[in-house]
Amino acid sequence: MKNGVPHKRAGRAALTAAAILAIALAAILTLELLSRLLIPKYMSGALDGAFIAEYYDETLPHDVLFVGDCEVFSNISPVAMWREYGITSYVRGSAQQLVWQSYWLLSEMLAHETPKAVVFNVLSLKYNEPQKEAYNRITLDGMKLSKYKLAAIDASMMRGERDADTGEIVEESMLDYIFPIFRYHSRWSSLSFEDVKYMFYRDRVTHSGYYMRVDANGISPDELPAVRPLDDYTFGSTAMEYLDKMVELCESHGVELILMKAPSLVPHWYDQYEAQIDAYAEAHGLRYINVLEAADEIGIDYETDTFDRGMHMNLSGAEKVTHYIGGILAEEFGIPDRRGEADYASVWSEKEKFYDEMIAAQEKELSELGHLVHFGAVG
Amino acid sequence: MLYTSVEFLAFALIIFALYYALPKRCQPYVLLASSAVFFASYSIYNFPFIIFTITVSWGGGLIIARVFDAGERAISGLELSREEKKAARARVRRRAKLVTAAAVTADLCVLAVLKYYNFTLHNINSIFRFSDNESDLFIKIALPLGISFYTFMCVGYVVDVYRRKYKAEKNPLRIALFASYFPQLVQGPFSRYDETGAQLWGPHKFDGDRVSYAVLRISWGYFKKLVLADRAMIALTPLIESPDVYRGAYALFAIVLYSLRIYADFTGGIDITIGISEALGIRLKENFVRPYFSKSIAEYWRRWHITLGDWFREYLFYPLSIAGPVGKLTKKLKPRLGAGFAKRFPVYVSTVIVWFVTGIWHGAAWNFIAWGMANCVVILISQELSPLYEKFHAKTGISEGGAWGAFMIVRTYFLMGAIRMFDCYKSVPKTFSAVGSIFTTWNPNVLFDGSIMKLGLGAADYILLIAGAAVIFVVGILGERKELRDRLCGRYVLRAALTAALIVAVVVFGAYGMGYDASQFIYNQF
């Protein structure tokens, strides 16, 4: 009995400690669940924020990786490339994806696979500093936590820069990226059913990174906005530094780096930009494909092949661009046709099925409503 | 380094770890170094000012002690009659008084020059118009962090040594730590050297029970500051910026919102301060005892910013009440005022001066002076009318409990809320105009027709504010009956659960991060 009292006390202390530990764990779990609830899901309306994360669902490596901004995700269709050339590719691009973001995304991908070629779209070289926190988020939130993500955040964070649209000074914090609940907690008062539905999974919204739009909203040459002269056409030092890094990265992995300019008419691609890319490609022995210059040869009709008046290709335009790029990749770079390989054929046939279903769904919606509502996000 | 910044949380955690990881003899030096870092994080160029105040107070205290000791030795070495000894002691006291006055003046001069020079110059210039570019003559130095707090604490120390309440401190580092202890720099509470001097120097053993209380208190503080005070500020900002637009019921709404904001802000900050100190083993004085439960303004001031009130009572009110000139004036006026009022006259004079100083202590601006004087007027009137109140209660049999008590509480809340608008609008005419509009503009519909939803807060935010205020109210009621600390004694699991709930609430509902402006604690500006 004498020894029983201390034992009882020790037992009670252990129980208390266990209860406190359980409470701490419950609090952490609650915060994790709340974080999942509060972060934006990008499953309707603007889907861009869902693009980057879809790469992690890929099961087989790719022979070609495309990186860049919206000019890659809306202009290159990996499924069309597979169908026509048997080339396995993936597009890792998001809205206004900056050069350093493309570099770190590419670094992350090259840590897991070694493609034969990487195609980088050069439009984003015109930005030498981050433009908007929202665009940073769209690209970076989808990355899994890794040293690449941390480096991408560090390179992208706005530290007193002004928002490109509002002019407000923006101060971002690394902590907000690592623990997104700190950034998105204020969404508690505007949550929707979508936030609950997609807490633990997301629908697939791209086709190996390609953002499909079957609708058309064209532009004729005489409707193009006036070209605004710039004070300085020189690409910024930070942007070029990351292009250099990309060249080195590809060299170190034995990967061919190809530069590309998509055939978008807006924003205007200045001759001075073109000259710099030409000179850079020549100096570094890189192939530079300016699809904009080849638009007529490809057969792009800007009145029917874009969905937003010359900025982005629709399905029709994207398949034309893909046909052109795919041809170069197959013929000049000898990217193999893998249609005969069973494992690839199986994965890509599933992708084709999803691709065709989305085309059908979008066309149906277009014919019924006259416009797209879901932008093809099916399932 | 804002209390609400991640940097501060990291800073506090590092200090906490070092404080208990290093040998105990290092603890005061950890606190000194961290206080220096914290002070420097606001402005490194202000170090000379705080060092000057510390040096003057420490040196002044030592000289005062020496004057007394030398005098005592001299007196005891001589064979003097009782009267002669008394006279000699009076001479010693006068010398010590001179040193005290010199040290206190030097301390206050720094505060006066840095905080009040520009204000004084501006007012003199508005009368005499001697300069068209008065801003060229202004001192352009940011106020040292916590100058109003550490200066008053140092003055208190010097006066206490003179009053021989305790011995003068020989170690200047101890005075440095007493004056610059970082949690207190932000918004107090005021301490006396005999309360915290020895505590600050340690040593302190880690005590898990104490730390768990501390973490709960800190979480409660952050809840009040981030979830309630900073959220209320979002809707208050347009109300304050455009009092000409937001009149009548809006002004009444501003009173309610500001009373929530200032309470949550100030008490939240003090909770964090006291919590951090408790985690380090240092007990600071409580600064609030549920002030909104007060039945009169006098009672309110015994419950709100208690340590400031104590300081003024101890070092200004009492000395003034018994000061020679006040006594002489009272004697002179006695035949005119009558014996009854003359008896109260010294108290009233002291009250007026104390409230003037209290006002200007809060800020070098007329709105603060008006705020102080408004408090003073209400307190003096209610004091003068107290016989009438007593008669009323005696005649009607209405006690201060029950419904009448509740009425008194509500009355005090709104009266204090109206006075507080001098601080909120930061302008005397705007305050009069806005508060006056409550009685001249009849627009209660704006409170219910969705107009208040256009002030930057949505319905969910208002529900959160109401729920938060209700939680504070319930906690207040519970605390009024039995101290919360006692209620939570031995209930470790409950404490952990409350802490976890508060942390989750702060993370989710806090008005922080992108889209919100990190705001200073209100009292940090004083």
Side-chain angles (χ1 to χ4, degrees), chain B residues 470-503:
Chain B
V471 170
I472 289 180
F473 182 74
V474 170
V475 169
I477 295 265
L478 291 173
E480 198 76 356
R481 289 177 187 163
K482 185 182 175 187
E483 277 303 327
L484 289 172
R485 204 183 173 88
D486 299 334
R487 285 178 186 274
L488 294 169
C489 182
R491 304 173 83 173
Y492 304 101
V493 176
L494 178 63
R495 257 186 268 166
L498 287 173
T499 305
L502 284 169
I503 290 171

Side-chain angles (χ1 to χ4, degrees), chain A residues 30-270:
Chain A
T30 306
L31 286 174
E32 168 60 21
L33 289 173
L34 286 169
S35 183
R36 283 173 176 272
L37 177 69
L38 291 163
I39 56 172
K41 311 300 186 294
Y42 303 106
M43 288 288 103
S44 60
L47 306 178
D48 313 35
F51 294 176
I52 292 296
E54 288 193 0
Y55 172 75
Y56 303 112
D57 297 333
E58 292 293 291
T59 51
L60 291 174
H62 313 89
D63 285 322
V64 182
L65 295 174
F66 291 86
V67 283
D69 48 19
C70 56
E71 289 201 351
V72 286
F73 74 61
S74 62
N75 294 349
I76 305 290
S77 165
V79 174
M81 197 173 285
W82 164 262
R83 271 188 175 150
E84 191 171 356
Y85 299 102
I87 291 174
T88 59
S89 65
Y90 194 90
V91 176
R92 200 100 190 268
S94 62
Q96 209 184 77
Q97 183 171 298
L98 301 163
V99 191
W100 39 93
Q101 293 166 347
S102 292
Y103 170 77
W104 288 113
L105 282 166
L106 182 61
S107 302
E108 184 200 41
M109 290 190 286
L110 294 188
H112 298 104
E113 59 175 319
T114 308
K116 297 203 163 21
V118 165
V119 182
F120 170 62
N121 188 73
V122 293
L123 178 68
S124 58
L125 283 170
K126 71 178 190 164
Y127 297 117
N128 198 46
E129 52 192 30
Q131 302 292 301
K132 277 183 86 67
E133 191 249 352
Y135 284 132
N136 277 347
R137 283 284 172 183
I138 276 174
T139 303
L140 301 169
D141 279 351
M143 288 180 82
K144 277 186 180 170
L145 190 60
S146 67
K147 63 178 180 179
Y148 306 106
K149 176 165 182 164
L150 295 179
I153 296 167
D154 187 49
S156 307
M157 272 196 314
M158 296 180 82
R159 298 176 171 93
E161 284 99 345
R162 289 186 182 278
D163 182 284
D165 294 330
T166 64
E168 282 173 19
I169 291 174
V170 182
E171 284 287 351
E172 291 187 81
S173 146
M174 175 72 84
L175 209 64
D176 287 359
Y177 279 100
I178 298 171
F179 301 105
I181 192 168
F182 292 144
R183 172 63 186 90
Y184 297 117
H185 66 99
S186 56
R187 292 189 70 241
W188 67 269
S189 56
S190 56
L191 290 172
S192 66
F193 175 67
E194 183 180 292
D195 290 301
V196 181
K197 183 182 172 189
Y198 293 107
M199 269 178 78
F200 300 103
Y201 78 99
R202 297 283 192 281
D203 288 338
R204 209 181 340 152
V205 294
T206 76
H207 303 271
S208 296
Y210 166 62
Y211 172 56
M212 180 189 289
R213 289 284 295 262
V214 301
D215 52 333
N217 183 10
I219 188 167
S220 64
D222 54 315
E223 288 178 308
L224 283 170
V227 175
R228 191 169 53 90
L230 305 181
D231 294 334
D232 185 6
Y233 296 90
T234 317
F235 291 136
S237 57
T238 309
M240 292 310 288
E241 182 195 325
Y242 273 92
L243 181 58
D244 289 341
K245 283 183 167 188
M246 212 181 285
V247 172
E248 285 167 25
L249 179 71
C250 288
E251 275 174 7
S252 67
H253 283 78
V255 178
E256 198 79 47
L257 178 66
I258 299 161
L259 304 181
M260 165 195 156
K261 170 66 189 85
S264 302
L265 293 175
V266 183
H268 183 73
W269 181 249
Y270 294 92

Side-chain angles (χ1 to χ4, degrees), chain B residues 339-394:
Chain B
F341 190 78
K343 205 175 166 190
R344 300 196 297 277
F345 183 72
V347 173
Y348 286 5
V349 169
S350 309
T351 305
V352 171
I353 293 172
V354 164
W355 278 107
F356 177 83
V357 178
T358 306
I360 206 156
W361 177 88
H362 280 81
W366 285 107
N367 64 299
F368 286 114
I369 295 172
W371 168 85
M373 297 324 292
N375 273 290
C376 176
V377 167
V378 176
I379 288 172
L380 290 184
I381 289 175
S382 38
Q383 214 157 311
E384 275 301 297
L385 295 179
S386 57
L388 268 179
Y389 294 148
E390 279 161 22
K391 269 186 197 166
F392 167 77
H393 288 301

